[in-house]
PDB file of all heavy atoms in Angstrom:
ATOM      1  N   TYR A 272       3.131  -4.454 -12.640  1.00 97.00           N
ATOM      2  CA  TYR A 272       1.758  -3.939 -12.679  1.00 97.00           C
ATOM      3  C   TYR A 272       0.976  -4.384 -11.453  1.00 97.00           C
ATOM      4  O   TYR A 272       1.372  -5.298 -10.723  1.00 97.00           O
ATOM      5  CB  TYR A 272       1.037  -4.426 -13.938  1.00 97.00           C
ATOM      6  CG  TYR A 272       0.856  -5.929 -14.013  1.00 97.00           C
ATOM      7  CD1 TYR A 272      -0.173  -6.574 -13.318  1.00 97.00           C
ATOM      8  CD2 TYR A 272       1.717  -6.717 -14.771  1.00 97.00           C
ATOM      9  CE1 TYR A 272      -0.329  -7.955 -13.377  1.00 97.00           C
ATOM     10  CE2 TYR A 272       1.568  -8.092 -14.838  1.00 97.00           C
ATOM     11  CZ  TYR A 272       0.539  -8.710 -14.135  1.00 97.00           C
ATOM     12  OH  TYR A 272       0.384 -10.064 -14.183  1.00 97.00           O
ATOM     13  N   CYS A 273      -0.162  -3.724 -11.253  1.00 98.00           N
ATOM     14  CA  CYS A 273      -1.144  -4.143 -10.259  1.00 98.00           C
ATOM     15  C   CYS A 273      -2.491  -4.263 -10.969  1.00 98.00           C
ATOM     16  O   CYS A 273      -2.840  -3.431 -11.813  1.00 98.00           O
ATOM     17  CB  CYS A 273      -1.233  -3.124  -9.130  1.00 98.00           C
ATOM     18  SG  CYS A 273      -2.398  -3.600  -7.828  1.00 98.00           S
ATOM     19  N   VAL A 274      -3.249  -5.296 -10.638  1.00 98.00           N
ATOM     20  CA  VAL A 274      -4.547  -5.519 -11.270  1.00 98.00           C
ATOM     21  C   VAL A 274      -5.599  -5.760 -10.198  1.00 98.00           C
ATOM     22  O   VAL A 274      -5.338  -6.427  -9.194  1.00 98.00           O
ATOM     23  CB  VAL A 274      -4.484  -6.722 -12.250  1.00 98.00           C
ATOM     24  CG1 VAL A 274      -4.037  -7.995 -11.559  1.00 98.00           C
ATOM     25  CG2 VAL A 274      -5.824  -6.912 -12.958  1.00 98.00           C
ATOM     26  N   SER A 275      -6.775  -5.193 -10.395  1.00 98.00           N
ATOM     27  CA  SER A 275      -7.885  -5.443  -9.486  1.00 98.00           C
ATOM     28  C   SER A 275      -9.112  -5.857 -10.284  1.00 98.00           C
ATOM     29  O   SER A 275      -9.331  -5.384 -11.408  1.00 98.00           O
ATOM     30  CB  SER A 275      -8.195  -4.212  -8.634  1.00 98.00           C
ATOM     31  OG  SER A 275      -8.588  -3.129  -9.436  1.00 98.00           O
ATOM     32  N   VAL A 276      -9.879  -6.748  -9.682  1.00 98.00           N
ATOM     33  CA  VAL A 276     -11.098  -7.265 -10.306  1.00 98.00           C
ATOM     34  C   VAL A 276     -12.219  -7.193  -9.282  1.00 98.00           C
ATOM     35  O   VAL A 276     -11.998  -7.431  -8.092  1.00 98.00           O
ATOM     36  CB  VAL A 276     -10.909  -8.737 -10.763  1.00 98.00           C
ATOM     37  CG1 VAL A 276     -12.149  -9.228 -11.505  1.00 98.00           C
ATOM     38  CG2 VAL A 276      -9.680  -8.883 -11.632  1.00 98.00           C
ATOM     39  N   TRP A 277     -13.414  -6.864  -9.727  1.00 98.00           N
ATOM     40  CA  TRP A 277     -14.579  -6.866  -8.846  1.00 98.00           C
ATOM     41  C   TRP A 277     -15.725  -7.627  -9.501  1.00 98.00           C
ATOM     42  O   TRP A 277     -16.163  -7.295 -10.593  1.00 98.00           O
ATOM     43  CB  TRP A 277     -15.030  -5.446  -8.532  1.00 98.00           C
ATOM     44  CG  TRP A 277     -16.289  -5.376  -7.697  1.00 98.00           C
ATOM     45  CD1 TRP A 277     -16.560  -6.082  -6.570  1.00 98.00           C
ATOM     46  CD2 TRP A 277     -17.428  -4.553  -7.942  1.00 98.00           C
ATOM     47  NE1 TRP A 277     -17.800  -5.754  -6.072  1.00 98.00           N
ATOM     48  CE2 TRP A 277     -18.357  -4.809  -6.893  1.00 98.00           C
ATOM     49  CE3 TRP A 277     -17.758  -3.621  -8.924  1.00 98.00           C
ATOM     50  CZ2 TRP A 277     -19.602  -4.166  -6.822  1.00 98.00           C
ATOM     51  CZ3 TRP A 277     -18.986  -2.970  -8.853  1.00 98.00           C
ATOM     52  CH2 TRP A 277     -19.888  -3.248  -7.805  1.00 98.00           C
ATOM     53  N   SER A 278     -16.164  -8.679  -8.847  1.00 98.00           N
ATOM     54  CA  SER A 278     -17.341  -9.452  -9.245  1.00 98.00           C
ATOM     55  C   SER A 278     -17.904 -10.073  -7.970  1.00 98.00           C
ATOM     56  O   SER A 278     -17.252 -10.926  -7.354  1.00 98.00           O
ATOM     57  CB  SER A 278     -16.967 -10.539 -10.264  1.00 98.00           C
ATOM     58  OG  SER A 278     -18.094 -11.335 -10.586  1.00 98.00           O
ATOM     59  N   PRO A 279     -19.099  -9.639  -7.511  1.00 97.00           N
ATOM     60  CA  PRO A 279     -19.586 -10.005  -6.167  1.00 97.00           C
ATOM     61  C   PRO A 279     -19.795 -11.487  -5.875  1.00 97.00           C
ATOM     62  O   PRO A 279     -19.527 -11.909  -4.750  1.00 97.00           O
ATOM     63  CB  PRO A 279     -20.909  -9.230  -6.058  1.00 97.00           C
ATOM     64  CG  PRO A 279     -20.730  -8.067  -6.976  1.00 97.00           C
ATOM     65  CD  PRO A 279     -19.926  -8.589  -8.128  1.00 97.00           C
ATOM     66  N   PRO A 280     -20.277 -12.328  -6.816  1.00 97.00           N
ATOM     67  CA  PRO A 280     -20.493 -13.733  -6.441  1.00 97.00           C
ATOM     68  C   PRO A 280     -19.197 -14.446  -6.056  1.00 97.00           C
ATOM     69  O   PRO A 280     -18.183 -14.328  -6.743  1.00 97.00           O
ATOM     70  CB  PRO A 280     -21.094 -14.340  -7.717  1.00 97.00           C
ATOM     71  CG  PRO A 280     -21.719 -13.184  -8.427  1.00 97.00           C
ATOM     72  CD  PRO A 280     -20.795 -12.040  -8.173  1.00 97.00           C
ATOM     73  N   LEU A 281     -19.259 -15.188  -4.949  1.00 96.00           N
ATOM     74  CA  LEU A 281     -18.076 -15.831  -4.387  1.00 96.00           C
ATOM     75  C   LEU A 281     -18.110 -17.341  -4.580  1.00 96.00           C
ATOM     76  O   LEU A 281     -19.186 -17.945  -4.635  1.00 96.00           O
ATOM     77  CB  LEU A 281     -17.992 -15.540  -2.881  1.00 96.00           C
ATOM     78  CG  LEU A 281     -18.138 -14.085  -2.438  1.00 96.00           C
ATOM     79  CD1 LEU A 281     -18.142 -14.004  -0.917  1.00 96.00           C
ATOM     80  CD2 LEU A 281     -17.037 -13.216  -3.036  1.00 96.00           C
ATOM     81  N   ASN A 282     -16.931 -17.949  -4.637  1.00 95.00           N
ATOM     82  CA  ASN A 282     -16.863 -19.406  -4.651  1.00 95.00           C
ATOM     83  C   ASN A 282     -16.965 -19.936  -3.218  1.00 95.00           C
ATOM     84  O   ASN A 282     -17.127 -19.173  -2.266  1.00 95.00           O
ATOM     85  CB  ASN A 282     -15.596 -19.893  -5.361  1.00 95.00           C
ATOM     86  CG  ASN A 282     -14.309 -19.471  -4.647  1.00 95.00           C
ATOM     87  OD1 ASN A 282     -14.308 -19.150  -3.452  1.00 95.00           O
ATOM     88  ND2 ASN A 282     -13.201 -19.483  -5.370  1.00 95.00           N
ATOM     89  N   LYS A 283     -16.829 -21.230  -3.049  1.00 92.00           N
ATOM     90  CA  LYS A 283     -17.034 -21.842  -1.725  1.00 92.00           C
ATOM     91  C   LYS A 283     -15.966 -21.432  -0.713  1.00 92.00           C
ATOM     92  O   LYS A 283     -16.166 -21.584   0.491  1.00 92.00           O
ATOM     93  CB  LYS A 283     -17.077 -23.371  -1.867  1.00 92.00           C
ATOM     94  CG  LYS A 283     -18.314 -23.867  -2.613  1.00 92.00           C
ATOM     95  CD  LYS A 283     -18.319 -25.378  -2.738  1.00 92.00           C
ATOM     96  CE  LYS A 283     -19.552 -25.865  -3.489  1.00 92.00           C
ATOM     97  NZ  LYS A 283     -19.570 -27.358  -3.627  1.00 92.00           N
ATOM     98  N   LYS A 284     -14.845 -20.923  -1.185  1.00 91.00           N
ATOM     99  CA  LYS A 284     -13.768 -20.500  -0.284  1.00 91.00           C
ATOM    100  C   LYS A 284     -13.880 -19.026   0.100  1.00 91.00           C
ATOM    101  O   LYS A 284     -13.076 -18.515   0.869  1.00 91.00           O
ATOM    102  CB  LYS A 284     -12.404 -20.744  -0.944  1.00 91.00           C
ATOM    103  CG  LYS A 284     -12.139 -22.198  -1.318  1.00 91.00           C
ATOM    104  CD  LYS A 284     -11.947 -23.062  -0.083  1.00 91.00           C
ATOM    105  CE  LYS A 284     -11.490 -24.467  -0.499  1.00 91.00           C
ATOM    106  NZ  LYS A 284     -11.270 -25.342   0.670  1.00 91.00           N
TER     107      LYS A 284
END
Side-chain angles (χ1 to χ4, degrees):
Y272 64 80
C273 182
V274 58
S275 62
V276 184
W277 176 47
S278 176
L281 310 175
N282 64 21
K283 292 180 180 180
K284 301 291 188 179

